[in-house]
Amino acid sequence: MSENNAGVLDKENLPDSGGHFGEFGGQYVPETLMTALDNLGKEYDIARKDPEFIKELKFYLKEFAGRPTGLYHADRLSEELGGAKIYFKREDLLHTGAHKINNAIGQALLAKRMGKKRVIAETGAGQHGVATATVCAKLGLDCVVYMGAVDMERQKLNVFRMRLCGAEVRGVESGQKTLKDAVNEAMRDWVTNVEDTHYILGSALGSHPYPMMVRDFHRVIGQEVRHEILEKEGRLPDELVACVGGGSNAIGLFYEFLEEPDIRMVGVEAGGHGIEIGQHAARFEGGRLGVLQGCKTYILQNDDGQIELTHSVSAGLDYAAIGPEHAYYRDQGRIEFAYATDAEVMEAFQALCRTEGIIPALESTHALAYVLKRAPEMRKDQILVMNLSGRGDKDVNQVAKLLGEDI
Ligand SMILES: *Cc1c(COP(=O)(O)O)cnc(C)c1O
C-alpha cells in the first residue's frame, strides 16, 4: 500500500449494523453461529481502527504479497482494438498468483489478534485454499481447508500446494461434492470449534461481517489504481471492468470510485455455454432473490428454491450466488453487469497471450472478453481500467485440452 492509503479502513459506509446493503446481505444463520459472527464483527471493528493492525497489514501486503501491484498500459492490445486506452491492474503478479491473498492476509492477521491458533477455509478451484494455506504457514497458524471431493480430483496440483504449506485438506463427500458443500462443512466445523478457530471465507459473500470485511481487505486495489492513474494520466479513468464470482476483486476495485459519477463500472459474470438453466453462472441473468449460505442476494434457483447447477470454464466464477453489495449497487443502477461465454473467454485468453505476453486466469479473462467488445466502442482519448485479478498458469493444462492439444 502506498502512503496515501493510511487509515483507509476507518471510513464508515454500507452495510448497516445488521449487515444489510438495502434489502441484501444480513445474517441468515442458525443461532449457534450468531455469537461467532457477532464476536468477529466486534473484533474486526476494533482492529480496523487500530494503527498497529493497519501497520502489520501493510507490512505483509508489501513484503509478503508484493504490493503495490502495477497499473500497466496494454498498448499493443489498445492499438489492435482501436478504441479506449486500456490499463490492467496487475493483481496477477501477487504472491500465489491472484488478488485472493489480500483477504487471506487480512483475516489471518485478525485471527492471530483474536488469539485463534487454528484457521479453516473453504475452496473450490483451490486458489483461496492455496492463499490461506500459504499465509497460515507464514504466520504459524494451523490450517484446515475443506474442498469438495470432485474439486480435489480436478485440482490435484492445488491440493498438493496446500499440503506442502502444511495445511490439512479435508475432502467433502456430501451433496455435489463441490464448493457449496465445502462451505457447509466449514461452517459446521466453525460452530463446533469457534473457541480456537477462525473461518477465513474467500469472497465478498456469506453472512455479515464477511462481505464488508472481505471488501475492505481488497479496497487497496482501487486505492492504488486512483494513485497510479493520476500519476500516469493526470485524471481518473472513464470505465472500470472486473470479473465477478462472489465479487471480491470487483468490489475491491470499484469501491474507491463509487462516488465518482462519471466513472462507469461493469462487472462481468460467467456466461458458460450460454444463458440456459444449468449452463452458466450469471446470477443477474435469470437469478432471483433468495438466501444461500447466510446471505440474501441474487441466486440461481428453481421455483422451489432449490439451487440450480452452474457451469463455467473457470472454477472461480462457478457459484450460484453473488455478493450482496453487488446486488445492491446493481439495483441502484450504479454498477452494470455483463457476461462472457466460455467460447468468448477462450478467444480472449489467446488474444492477450499474443498481444501482450500475459497469460491471464480464466476468471479474469471474462473481464477481458468484455473489454475486447467494449474498447472499440470507446474513443481513443478515453481510459478503461480492467482488474487482471489473477495469472493463468493454473489454467494452462485446461486450455490446452480445450484447444485439442496434448501437452
Ligand atoms: C477466485 C477468483 C476470482 C473470483 O472471485 P471474486 O471474489 O469474484 O473476485 C476472480 N479471479 C481470480 C483470479 C480468482 O482466483
Side-chain angles (χ1 to χ4, degrees):
M1 269 194 238
S2 51
E3 270 318 299
N4 65 332
N5 294 329
V8 288
L9 297 180
D10 268 330
K11 202 164 142 198
E12 288 295 327
N13 222 312
L14 285 170
D16 70 15
S17 58
H20 301 98
F21 302 87
E23 65 178 312
F24 307 103
Q27 294 179 307
Y28 296 85
V29 294
E31 202 85 24
T32 43
L33 262 181
M34 280 305 282
T35 320
L37 290 170
D38 280 348
N39 283 340
L40 178 60
K42 280 185 196 129
E43 295 277 1
Y44 172 64
D45 200 47
I46 298 167
R48 79 211 285 220
K49 295 171 188 154
D50 180 349
E52 273 307 306
F53 181 75
I54 292 171
K55 193 172 144 203
E56 212 183 9
L57 178 61
K58 285 186 177 186
F59 173 83
Y60 284 101
L61 288 178
K62 178 165 182 275
E63 304 293 337
F64 189 62
R67 301 211 73 90
T69 60
L71 185 68
Y72 159 96
H73 177 208
D75 58 337
R76 294 234 313 139
L77 182 68
S78 303
E79 200 166 305
E80 187 166 304
L81 295 174
K85 194 167 181 181
I86 300 165
Y87 281 90
F88 293 135
K89 181 58 173 164
R90 298 295 304 271
E91 295 295 291
D92 62 313
L93 296 180
L94 287 172
H95 183 37
T96 67
H99 68 290
K100 287 200 170 72
I101 195 146
N102 302 326
N103 171 51
I105 289 176
Q107 286 200 49
L109 289 174
L110 188 62
K112 237 182 65 173
R113 184 189 160 93
M114 292 187 292
K116 313 243 163 153
K117 301 201 163 19
R118 180 174 178 267
V119 156
I120 57 170
E122 85 294 341
T123 199
Q127 291 305 110
H128 173 56
V130 167
T132 302
T134 304
V135 173
C136 286
K138 177 67 221 168
L139 296 179
L141 296 162
D142 291 339
C143 180
V144 173
V145 178
Y146 288 93
M147 189 169 187
V150 169
D151 288 335
M152 279 180 77
E153 187 55 34
R154 286 194 289 213
Q155 304 287 341
K156 283 184 188 155
L157 183 62
N158 276 340
V159 173
F160 186 60
R161 289 166 80 192
M162 288 182 253
R163 287 183 174 149
L164 280 175
C165 290
E168 182 193 336
V169 183
R170 288 192 189 160
V172 176
E173 299 283 352
S174 55
Q176 289 168 25
K177 308 179 189 187
T178 58
L179 177 60
K180 182 162 57 64
D181 314 294
V183 173
N184 287 338
E185 261 339 288
M187 295 215 274
R188 214 162 288 157
D189 181 318
W190 199 33
V191 177
T192 318
N193 300 299
V194 69
E195 276 309 306
D196 73 339
T197 299
H198 173 62
Y199 175 20
I200 301 191
L201 204 145
S203 189
L205 267 171
S207 285
H208 182 67
Y210 283 106
M212 170 184 79
M213 188 168 67
V214 175
R215 172 198 76 194
D216 287 350
F217 287 135
H218 285 299
R219 279 169 57 185
V220 62
I221 300 171
Q223 288 157 355
E224 286 177 5
V225 166
R226 178 185 285 273
H227 181 73
E228 290 162 331
I229 200 73
L230 287 176
E231 206 167 67
K232 285 174 201 291
E233 295 283 347
R235 71 175 185 89
L236 295 179
D238 298 283
E239 185 160 329
L240 304 173
V241 181
C243 66
V244 184
S248 69
N249 89 88
I251 199 68
L253 172 65
F254 296 164
Y255 192 81
E256 173 73 13
F257 302 100
L258 284 167
E259 285 142 31
E260 304 284 355
D262 296 334
I263 301 182
R264 185 170 182 237
M265 298 179 187
V266 182
V268 186
E269 298 185 281
H273 296 311
I275 305 303
E276 278 166 48
I277 290 170
Q279 298 297 310
H280 68 99
R283 288 67 44 106
F284 291 131
E285 307 291 330
R288 276 170 295 164
L289 195 59
V291 172
L292 181 62
Q293 293 178 328
C295 178
K296 189 190 249 189
T297 184
Y298 279 88
I299 294 167
L300 290 167
Q301 58 189 328
N302 69 16
D303 291 336
D304 300 326
Q306 294 294 321
I307 305 308
E308 275 164 7
L309 290 178
T310 50
H311 164 80
S312 169
V313 68
S314 76
L317 303 186
D318 198 350
Y319 187 66
I322 192 164
E325 192 162 10
H326 287 285
Y328 175 72
Y329 287 123
R330 183 196 183 247
D331 268 21
Q332 298 289 310
R334 182 63 192 96
I335 303 178
E336 295 168 55
F337 285 83
Y339 65 87
T341 63
D342 289 358
E344 291 168 329
V345 165
M346 290 299 290
E347 285 299 316
F349 182 91
Q350 295 170 80
L352 192 63
C353 297
R354 184 169 44 75
T355 56
E356 296 287 346
I358 296 173
I359 302 178
L362 284 173
E363 290 84 2
S364 325
T365 311
H366 284 70
L368 182 71
Y370 169 83
V371 169
L372 296 191
K373 288 194 272 192
R374 174 64 183 147
E377 302 170 356
M378 295 171 70
R379 295 191 316 269
K380 285 197 173 173
D381 63 345
Q382 290 187 301
I383 300 167
L384 183 154
V385 173
M386 186 195 106
N387 202 10
L388 191 51
S389 55
R391 71 178 85 124
D393 308 37
K394 67 185 178 61
D395 298 318
V396 169
N397 274 313
Q398 188 188 351
V399 169
K401 213 181 267 175
L402 289 168
L403 295 175
E405 289 198 30
D406 194 14
I407 54 172

